[in-house]
């Protein structure tokens, strides 16, 4: 299949679609590598050293990798260089350091028995990745899967295979055996489905839509009951209490990042602003003014804040959601700027004010530069609005009252909650969601190894009384 630059429409490359034959071959090679111990039996500290070498090579090629992601995904080049490269390096280096820290345990029992647990790699595993953070997502999967000793098959999005292919080549240069990491470009319907159904794959990690996640679960159940971990997006609230404006420009800056980073094509995007009625007018005015200053343009331009959406179809879908919201009574505060001259994939930063929560746009993950603003009058109402969604990946909460902050953080149904910031947390903290945002595992931190390892219990019965 062919791929074009979302900014310009210019052809980029023809992408091979790996089918069942290529999947079978990759699984067979990965299994042979695993069984021979070429990677799985390497000392954990040596696996960590190889991942550190890989990180150094990624850092060496950072400008190229950033340019690949920017061209393929339409991500602003500044964002790729300043954010995505650092995220990929942090992940690779953190999991390199964790490789020799996967400890087992011993059971407390009588002196004639010893119970031991060992954490072992799953074998041949697969990861199906999205297109919005190609380089960073590849590192999130590669880091724990390889640190644990698995053979990993990566399936990047058909829209953004370039950085994953390059990182796989760098892995070979770093001394990681070829069979320990494979990259299979292709579509979800063909390549992804073949991976999900394959009996030779012991675990699969997926980041993407709820609909595709359901299909992967069905395929796993219909094959070998492989372990499945799903991260499936969100509808994250930004909750601003009465004192939120005391944070000044920092509040508005974080709100803008939360809402519009990666054009809103971000699973933790704060697409629902929930603001206390006493400060709603000022917050709305300052937020809209700041959003109006964002630069829409070619992703390769260093001055661009908002690049194109991934496809023309995605842009049409987002514009349709906005038009239907307006028809249902939502007030358009920003977004009437015509950016069609830039190309069919562009959507201007858009802000809607609404109070009804049954709008389609309030229930659906938009995955575009669109934000809704609603008001509340009490803490309980704020929590109820924040939880009024099928998703539960992330939320941000702004207040200087630490008691209120902790009370609300415990009450909001989301896997990652940032207080007085927009943040997904550091690499040492687990990342994953509640409800339809997450299933079966976490990314990042030591919890990430749960996806890629299995626990074995060894029970030893001692004999003899110890006499000579």
């Amino acid at each position: 299949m062919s791929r074009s630059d979302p900014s310009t429409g210019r052809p980029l490359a023809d992408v091979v679609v790996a089918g069942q034959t290529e999947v079978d071959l990759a699984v067979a090679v990965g299994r042979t590598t695993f069984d021979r111990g070429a990677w799985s039996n390497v000392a954990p500290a040596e696996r960590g050293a190889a991942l550190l070498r890989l990180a150094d090579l990624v850092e060496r090629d950072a400008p190229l990798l950033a340019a690949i992601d920017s061209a393929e995904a339409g991500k602003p080049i500044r964002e790729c260089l300043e954010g995505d490269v650092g995220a990929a390096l942090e992940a690779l280096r953190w999991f390199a350091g964790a490789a020799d820290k996967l400890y087992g345990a011993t059971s407390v029992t009588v002196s004639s028995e010893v119970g031991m647990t060992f954490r072992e790699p799953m074998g041949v595993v697969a990861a199906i990745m999205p297109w919005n953070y190609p380089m960073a997502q590849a590192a999130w999967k590669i880091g724990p899967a390889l640190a644990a000793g698995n053979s990993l098959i990566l399936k990047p999005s058909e829209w953004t295979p370039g950085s994953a292919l390059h990182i796989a080549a760098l892995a070979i240069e770093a001394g990681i055996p070829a069979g320990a990491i494979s990259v299979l470009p292709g579509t979800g319907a063909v390549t992804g489905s073949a991976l999900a159904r394959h009996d030779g794959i012991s675990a699969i990690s997926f980041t993407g839509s709820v609909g595709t996640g359901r299909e992967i679960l069905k395929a796993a159940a219909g094959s070998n009951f492989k372990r499945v971990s799903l991260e499936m997006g969100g509808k994250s609230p930004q909750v601003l209490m009465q004192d939120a404006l005391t944070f000044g420009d920092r509040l508005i800056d974080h709100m803008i990042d939360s809402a519009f980073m990666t054009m809103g094509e971000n699973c933790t995007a704060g697409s629902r602003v929930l603001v206390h009625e006493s400060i709603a007018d000022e917050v709305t005015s300052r937020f809209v003014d700041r959003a109006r200053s964002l630069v829409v343009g070619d992703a390769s331009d260093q001055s661009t804040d908002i690049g194109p959406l991934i496809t023309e179809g995605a842009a049409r879908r987002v514009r349709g959601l906005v038009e239907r919201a307006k028809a249902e009574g939502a007030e358009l505060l920003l977004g009437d700027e015509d950016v069609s001259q830039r190309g069919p994939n562009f959507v201007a930063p858009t802000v809607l004010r609404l109070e009804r929560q049954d709008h389609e746009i309030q229930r659906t993950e938009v995955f575009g530069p669109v934000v809704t603003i609603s008001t509340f009058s009490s803490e309980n109402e704020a929590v109820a609005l924040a939880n009024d969604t099928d998703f539960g990946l992330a939320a941000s909460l702004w207040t200087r009252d630490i008691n209120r902050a902790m009370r609300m953080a415990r009450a909001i149904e989301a896997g990652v909650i940032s207080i007085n910031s927009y943040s997904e947390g550091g690499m040492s903290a687990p990342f994953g969601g509640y409800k339809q945002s997450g299933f079966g595992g976490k990314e990042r931190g030591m919890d990430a190894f749960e996806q890629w390892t299995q626990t074995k219990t060894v029970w030893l019965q001692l004999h003899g009384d110890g006499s000579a």
Side-chain angles (χ1 to χ4, degrees):
M1 61 178 292
S2 60
R3 181 66 182 123
S4 300
D5 185 325
S7 290
T8 64
R10 292 192 297 266
L12 287 173
D14 290 328
V15 180
V16 173
V17 176
Q20 189 67 56
T21 299
E22 290 77 17
V23 170
D24 288 342
L25 178 59
V27 172
V29 170
R31 189 76 236 180
T32 298
T33 301
F34 184 83
D35 290 344
R36 288 178 177 171
W39 182 251
S40 58
N41 285 341
V42 169
E46 293 182 25
R47 292 201 296 265
L51 286 170
L52 287 175
R53 291 194 296 272
L54 173 59
D56 290 343
L57 293 171
V58 168
E59 187 168 28
R60 181 196 71 188
D61 289 0
L64 172 61
L65 286 163
I68 291 172
D69 276 6
S70 177
E72 290 187 337
K75 290 172 66 75
I77 185 63
R78 188 179 71 248
E79 186 177 314
C80 292
L81 287 168
E82 296 177 359
D84 294 19
V85 169
L89 292 174
E90 182 187 18
L92 291 172
R93 287 172 173 152
W94 196 91
F95 285 109
D100 60 354
K101 299 171 182 64
L102 283 175
Y103 304 125
T106 57
S107 301
V108 177
T109 182
V110 297
S111 61
S112 62
E113 297 172 342
V114 179
M116 298 169 285
T117 60
F118 297 90
R119 188 167 290 281
E120 300 181 341
M122 298 290 295
V124 181
V125 298
I128 299 176
M129 303 185 300
W131 40 259
N132 54 346
Y133 290 91
M135 182 186 353
Q137 281 282 340
W140 278 23
K141 310 294 188 185
I142 290 170
L146 291 192
N150 295 287
S151 294
L152 173 65
I153 300 171
L154 284 176
K155 194 211 85 68
S157 166
E158 62 265 36
W159 308 117
T160 56
S163 57
L165 287 165
H166 190 75
I167 290 173
L170 294 182
I172 305 304
E173 187 178 344
I176 297 171
I181 182 167
S182 303
V183 176
L184 295 180
T187 64
V190 176
T191 318
S193 177
L195 289 168
R197 290 183 283 105
H198 206 289
D199 287 332
I201 291 175
S202 301
I204 191 163
S205 176
F206 167 75
T207 302
S209 71
V210 171
T212 302
R214 293 186 196 280
E215 293 304 312
I216 290 173
L217 275 177
K218 292 177 186 177
S223 54
N224 62 339
F225 283 105
K226 59 181 60 64
R227 183 177 295 174
V228 176
S229 175
L230 308 175
E231 193 270 280
M232 298 174 292
K235 191 67 178 172
S236 301
Q238 301 189 60
V239 183
L240 280 62
M241 302 307 291
Q242 297 97 313
D243 56 350
L245 279 169
T246 63
F247 291 96
D249 289 341
R250 182 170 181 271
L251 166 69
I252 305 302
D253 290 344
H254 279 248
M255 289 178 66
I256 291 292
D257 283 347
S258 176
F260 297 115
M261 185 171 63
T262 314
M263 294 74 71
E265 295 173 318
N266 175 16
C267 55
T268 64
S271 58
R272 293 187 298 143
V273 173
L274 308 176
V275 55
H276 192 274
E277 59 188 11
S278 65
I279 61 170
D281 289 346
E282 184 175 351
V283 166
T284 299
S285 175
R286 292 177 63 179
F287 180 76
V288 169
D289 284 347
R290 180 75 171 78
R292 186 176 285 113
S293 71
L294 295 173
V295 176
V296 179
D298 190 306
S300 65
D301 191 325
Q302 285 279 355
S303 67
T304 291
D305 299 305
I306 303 290
L309 300 193
I310 188 69
T311 64
E312 183 177 350
R316 280 199 304 270
R317 174 183 170 275
V318 170
R319 287 192 288 265
L321 283 167
V322 172
E323 289 305 311
R324 289 193 293 277
K326 289 163 57 181
E328 294 169 358
E331 180 185 0
L332 183 69
L333 303 178
L334 181 69
D336 53 0
E337 176 190 358
D338 183 9
V339 294
S340 61
Q341 73 280 3
R342 296 195 174 277
N345 293 28
F346 285 88
V347 176
T350 302
V351 182
L352 297 161
R353 178 159 47 204
L354 52 82
E355 294 305 329
R356 281 176 39 211
Q357 300 304 307
D358 59 350
H359 285 276
E360 178 189 12
I361 204 166
Q362 200 75 332
R363 317 300 303 176
T364 302
E365 185 176 33
V366 177
F367 240 54
V370 179
V371 180
T372 63
I373 298 179
S374 304
T375 60
F376 60 85
S377 59
S378 70
E379 178 182 321
N380 287 340
E381 185 183 6
V383 170
L385 289 173
N387 291 340
D388 187 17
T389 172
D390 292 331
F391 296 102
L393 183 56
S396 55
L397 171 64
W398 293 84
T399 179
R400 291 191 183 274
D401 185 333
I402 188 62
N403 294 310
R404 169 176 281 168
M406 292 307 299
R407 187 169 59 240
M408 294 182 70
R410 294 299 299 271
I412 293 173
E413 298 167 349
V416 179
I417 297 178
S418 57
I419 298 174
N420 301 334
S421 69
Y422 164 64
S423 175
E424 296 178 356
M427 189 54 59
S428 61
F431 176 87
Y434 284 16
K435 299 189 278 193
Q436 292 187 29
S437 287
F439 175 90
K442 301 286 188 180
E443 307 274 12
R444 303 190 323 206
M446 297 302 289
D447 287 20
F449 286 108
E450 296 294 331
Q451 297 182 45
W452 308 110
T453 60
Q454 51 196 342
T455 301
K456 175 182 288 181
T457 297
V458 176
W459 197 263
L460 174 63
Q461 180 74 54
L462 302 176
H463 297 282
D465 58 7
S467 59

